[in-house]
Amino acid sequence: MAGADLVELAKRRGFFFGANGAYGGTAGFYTFGPQGAALKRNLEDAWRDRFTLQEGNREIEAPTVMPEAVFEASGHLEGFDDMLVECGECGESHRADHLVEDAADIEDAEALPGEAVEELIRDHGIACPSCGSPLAGRDVEDFNLMFATSIGPGDGHPGYLRPETAQGIFVEFPRLKEYARGNLPFGITQIGPAYRNEISPRGGLLRLREFTQAELEQFIDPEADEPPLDRVADVAVRLYPATEQADDEGEYLDTTVGEAVEAGIIGSPWVGYYLGIAQEWYERVGVDMDRFRFRQHLAGERAHYAADCWDAESEVDGDWIEIAGFAYRGDYDLSKHDEYGDDAFTVFKRYDEPRTVERATVDPDMSVLGPEFGGDAAAVAEALETLAERDPDAFEADAVTVEIDGDGGDGGDGDEDGSGGTREVEVDADVANFSVEEVTENGEHVTPHVVEPSFGVGRTVQTLLAHAYETDEVDGEERTYLALAPEIAPRDAAVFPLVTNDDRLTDLADRVAADLRAAGLAVAYDDSGSIGRRYRRQDEVGTPFCVTVDRDGIEGEGPETVTVRERDSAAQVRVPVAELADELAALRSGGAFADLLDRYEVVETDVETTEN
């Protein structure tokens, strides 16, 4: 399906469209219409079912605005950037790596340094997409993607709209671990909006300034916890490892999760486990597996904290797009928040039996340190404690040297310009009161490692629509339909009276629609136009089943019946009204329509051509 066709269908049938159209529109923001909002909600529910409920995880909902200190700790203030190049003629800003990818047939220009991107812009004669002026010689700069805001009245306190949902989980870890009773492993999920001030949003739902993420943060003890890999060991996956990407003749590797982990192609068993889970889930919700792969991050594009990272990618309109990422983040996140925050981001791991160990300690004589170092005395004492833990042999000398922050204060010279920094001070060993003691420990504090599957909900919605788009011929006419999985489709069924001039049919159709809704099914009611046109409208929005109330279903001697038509095959079967809700619910949960064809009367007459 061409991208323009998908955007046109999405707008016409109420899946998604550009926001704020009455005011000229705002790039990077989309509104989900009635069909799109329902499809998106069903997709989120399917994700929640698999990654929260079936995995035994817990879900939270954190604020979307967080104080600046959170992002200073996480590194987003310094390193959450994209490559920006500004046109010297019209002043428009563009994503430099995207321009290079479009012009130079390079898949991952984001992984290149800025200087290399500048050279590619010059070598390929890349011009401004807005005005056509050459961009050669223009600097490629880093642009921080976070939306800044102010918390509180006046200038308030600086804050940012979260660029990912993950930080809301990491920041609350000290409390979340209590809910898990301090036992590892445990997982926390969250589905919600995130915000990135994209330089040049494009591609419909593929690159937005406000988007929805579904993320799982799995907290593990790296020394003890292993995933239940046997559950997914035999799941077949198509991998695109970094080694194959670097080879001009590189190919996909079709293998199983178990084989890839055993061979070290997937470096982390935990990442392998979630690739297997995701493979099965994507197939469940309707992604075309012939247009799907897992691509390993190249060294230049992998986040500095990630030991291994893979993307789930789908082919849409001839391009491969990232729809999820799977990263082994190590202890980076919790260690950073432990350093910056005022709470403990560790878990106490109790030993099976108490252990007696030797521990180096100091008991600095503050009556000496105070007069000698003044306001820096406490910092000196803390530095001595750290040195004792790191290098106890240093205290065998007559004096020890430690490094402290500050400009000298009352007890030292510091930097001549008073600008602060660090300095070394010397302390007599006997003042430090160093000793080695035997202590009994019942456990230790462990900083958990994090495994993160992160899913882009909007990108998956666009993938499903693109992969579900089908055309065929019914009754000599071409039709367009969306072959969406019943679990994901915006509606579960549509109900039609065959004609509207018979009160018996319209009354029964009203009652059937009400009963199905009472059973929890999303149902449309349509009595406008020919039955064939009504079918076509429902086909185009992906409604999997249409229920038609006709005279044959009410004029016989048996119970009332209706015809149920399957979207993809256009096959029809007559089902008793009393059993309809249960049958449709079973179909929505994955049941086969062929089973209905075996149990009930198949309708041979072509009601699609019957007019009102």
Side-chain angles (χ1 to χ4, degrees), residues 205-510:
L205 303 179
L206 301 185
R207 190 165 295 278
L208 301 175
R209 289 177 168 138
E210 178 182 349
F211 55 96
T212 301
Q213 285 184 315
E215 292 193 309
L216 162 61
E217 308 303 330
Q218 181 76 52
F219 299 101
I220 66 170
D221 180 346
E223 301 297 328
D225 295 332
E226 294 290 339
L229 195 61
D230 58 303
R231 297 180 187 173
V232 297
D234 295 330
V235 173
V237 289
R238 171 165 291 178
L239 305 180
Y240 196 20
T243 52
E244 294 297 321
Q245 296 173 57
D247 188 338
D248 291 339
E249 298 181 358
E251 298 179 345
Y252 295 144
L253 176 63
D254 291 307
T255 183
T256 66
V257 170
E259 291 170 348
V261 171
E262 184 176 359
I265 298 167
I266 300 174
S268 163
W270 279 100
V271 171
Y273 174 71
Y274 283 115
L275 293 187
I277 294 295
Q279 172 81 23
E280 294 180 323
W281 182 76
Y282 277 122
E283 188 170 5
R284 162 183 162 181
V285 299
V287 171
D288 182 353
M289 290 293 107
D290 291 332
R291 301 161 68 185
F292 179 83
R293 71 186 185 187
F294 290 111
R295 186 186 67 83
Q296 188 176 30
H297 277 206
L298 302 173
E301 64 178 317
R302 189 170 62 236
H304 62 277
Y305 53 74
D308 192 20
C309 189
W310 292 76
D311 284 344
E313 294 186 332
S314 65
E315 183 274 315
V316 174
D317 198 23
D319 295 323
W320 286 98
I321 63 169
E322 173 195 350
I323 56 177
F326 303 80
Y328 190 99
R329 299 176 69 122
D331 65 356
Y332 173 83
D333 302 285
L334 296 187
S335 293
K336 295 294 288 186
H337 287 298
D338 190 73
E339 176 185 350
Y340 281 80
D342 297 328
D343 214 329
F345 288 77
T346 59
V347 169
F348 185 73
K349 178 181 178 181
R350 188 171 297 278
Y351 299 143
D352 294 335
E353 295 181 359
R355 302 176 185 177
T356 300
V357 299
E358 290 186 341
R359 176 175 295 168
T361 63
V362 293
D363 184 18
D365 188 343
M366 299 304 291
S367 67
V368 176
L369 296 186
E372 184 172 353
F373 297 105
D376 289 331
V380 173
E382 183 177 348
L384 289 170
E385 293 174 0
T386 301
L387 181 62
E389 295 175 2
R390 188 181 70 247
D391 185 14
D393 293 341
F395 290 86
E396 293 179 1
D398 294 334
V400 294
T401 300
V402 295
E403 191 176 80
I404 63 171
D405 295 330
D407 59 3
D410 297 330
D413 296 332
D415 297 336
E416 291 182 3
D417 61 1
S419 60
T422 61
R423 63 190 179 97
E424 292 183 346
V425 298
E426 188 175 273
V427 180
D428 290 342
D430 57 354
V431 173
N433 287 326
F434 174 82
S435 63
V436 177
E437 302 174 352
E438 283 193 349
V439 297
T440 299
E441 297 180 339
N442 294 311
E444 62 181 318
H445 289 275
V446 173
T447 302
H449 284 203
V450 175
V451 184
E452 179 191 71
S454 176
F455 292 69
V457 174
R459 290 183 173 205
T460 306
V461 166
Q462 187 151 331
T463 293
L464 293 178
L465 292 176
H467 288 192
Y469 186 90
E470 301 282 355
T471 60
D472 65 1
E473 189 174 286
V474 174
D475 299 330
E477 295 183 0
E478 182 176 313
R479 69 158 179 164
T480 296
Y481 66 100
L482 293 178
L484 295 168
E487 178 185 17
I488 302 300
R491 298 168 179 162
D492 297 317
V495 175
F496 313 141
L498 182 61
V499 295
T500 57
N501 57 3
D502 187 332
D503 290 343
R504 297 175 302 164
L505 299 187
T506 56
D507 289 347
L508 178 56
D510 288 339

Side-chain angles (χ1 to χ4, degrees), residues 515-528:
D515 289 346
L516 294 179
R517 289 168 181 154
L521 298 172
V523 175
Y525 184 95
D526 190 353
D527 60 4
S528 175

